[in-house]
Amino acid sequence: IPVAWNAYIEDHSTHKISDSWLDRVEEVVNYCLENDMYTIINIHWDGGWLENNCTSNKQIENNIKQHALWTQIAMHFRDYEENLLFAGTNEPNVENSTQMGVLNSYLQSFIDAVRSTGGNNIYRNLIIQGPSTDIYTTNELMHTLPIDWVEKRLMLEIHYYSPWNFCGMEQDESWGKMFYFWGNGYHFDNSNRNADWGEEDFVNSQFTLMKSKFINKDIPVILGEYGAIKRNLLTEAEQAAHEASRLYYLEYVTL
């Protein structure tokens, strides 16, 4: 459940969240839990106050806010059972080791805040995000994890929208063109919209990176987001081929 909190802060000196907003989030969480679903709540984009500011000049200010928000969220939900999980951020924009250090401090504030509230939060599974939740960047920059004094209750989150040309690109760019057809056996005859990179072997290599770096070291990895947009093409044949290709992509990444 992607949640924005910033717009519902009543007192910016203390970062007090509106009680009515916490109650509304709880209402939605309960919809999921009552249907036997594992449920994750996070601090999502939220205007980018954290995600666009993994920077040294914002580190102190944002850590205070991150700790205050997660203390309140965790207190509100601390009696919920283990099928409710917390995720500290969403897609924090990180491109270098300095920014990675700042992100780790934000994730540490998240963990510390949640654990300090007691109750079921002492043992709740917590999810931390790799830099930009990008597999390559996470593999290159995330060499250490924040500290959780509870063993084996921390997992890593990444997202997957590769190749972007197929998954989300909405117009041709100087660096590449849109793909409509992806995967072995799913290309369209003589089309210049067939994927020319990022297909099955690339998927395999990307997830192998996460297996080697984290899963083989007993750190679970969750794929928090993935997908490919549905396009509307000119001919029935192209449309059918695109939709079949899109379904194949989703199945391949899932399996």
Side-chain angles (χ1 to χ4, degrees):
I1 300 173
V3 186
W5 302 96
N6 195 54
Y8 301 93
I9 294 175
E10 294 182 334
D11 182 345
H12 287 276
S13 65
T14 63
H15 308 295
K16 170 70 171 65
I17 302 168
S18 162
D19 290 337
S20 63
W21 183 242
L22 281 163
D23 290 341
R24 171 57 179 158
V25 174
E26 183 175 20
E27 182 180 20
V28 176
V29 166
N30 288 339
Y31 294 155
C32 300
L33 297 178
E34 287 165 5
N35 282 278
D36 297 323
M37 301 172 71
Y38 278 82
T39 305
I40 300 167
I41 56 177
N42 70 358
I43 291 180
H44 210 70
W45 162 247
D46 213 6
W49 68 267
L50 184 150
E51 298 198 349
N52 274 352
N53 291 290
C54 294
T55 55
S56 300
N57 66 318
K58 286 287 187 177
Q59 185 172 6
I60 295 175
E61 173 187 338
N62 281 350
N63 269 311
I64 292 170
K65 185 173 181 178
Q66 172 84 327
H67 194 280
L69 293 180
W70 274 111
T71 298
Q72 295 172 77
I73 299 164
M75 281 295 295
H76 193 88
F77 290 98
R78 73 175 183 171
D79 294 329
Y80 277 71
E81 299 297 332
E82 64 180 0
N83 48 352
L84 177 63
L85 297 85
F86 299 153
T89 66
N90 176 49
E91 290 184 346
N93 294 318
V94 168
E95 298 177 351
N96 55 55
S97 58
T98 299
Q99 293 174 343
M100 184 67 239
V102 175
L103 172 59
N104 264 335
S105 76
Y106 294 164
L107 297 172
Q108 189 67 62
S109 291
F110 157 65
I111 295 168
D112 291 347
V114 173
R115 296 293 184 228
S116 71
T117 59
N120 291 337
N121 289 331
I122 293 177
Y123 303 106
R124 191 174 308 284
N125 289 305
L126 302 182
I127 304 170
I128 59 172
Q129 288 62 45
S132 303
T133 54
D134 175 73
I135 289 177
Y136 176 80
T137 309
T138 299
N139 187 66
E140 290 294 304
L141 294 179
M142 200 167 203
H143 303 305
T144 59
L145 301 181
I147 297 170
D148 185 8
W149 54 270
V150 181
E151 292 186 357
K152 299 185 182 299
R153 292 290 181 173
L154 203 62
M155 65 177 70
L156 176 78
E157 178 181 358
I158 49 93
H159 298 167
Y160 194 76
Y161 294 107
S162 295
W164 185 245
N165 313 60
F166 181 72
C167 294
M169 196 173 179
E170 297 185 280
Q171 64 182 29
D172 292 343
E173 302 287 355
S174 59
W175 54 265
K177 64 180 186 296
M178 293 180 289
F179 298 156
Y180 301 160
F181 313 104
W182 183 96
N184 183 31
Y186 289 87
H187 285 193
F188 197 78
D189 289 345
N190 302 315
S191 175
N192 66 351
R193 297 297 180 176
N194 293 322
D196 58 21
W197 75 278
E199 296 187 284
E200 292 94 339
D201 287 348
F202 185 78
V203 176
N204 297 344
S205 67
Q206 291 292 284
F207 284 95
T208 296
L209 289 176
M210 296 294 93
K211 184 175 187 301
S212 299
K213 193 174 186 75
F214 299 106
I215 294 172
N216 289 351
K217 299 173 184 176
D218 293 328
I219 302 166
V221 177
I222 184 169
L223 182 58
E225 295 181 20
Y226 66 106
I229 62 173
K230 181 180 177 181
R231 304 178 187 276
N232 295 315
L233 305 185
L234 292 177
T235 70
E236 289 186 10
E238 287 179 318
Q239 189 67 38
H242 165 66
E243 292 180 14
S245 176
R246 179 172 174 265
L247 178 60
Y248 174 64
Y249 174 89
L250 295 173
E251 290 177 339
Y252 195 89
V253 172
T254 300
L255 298 175

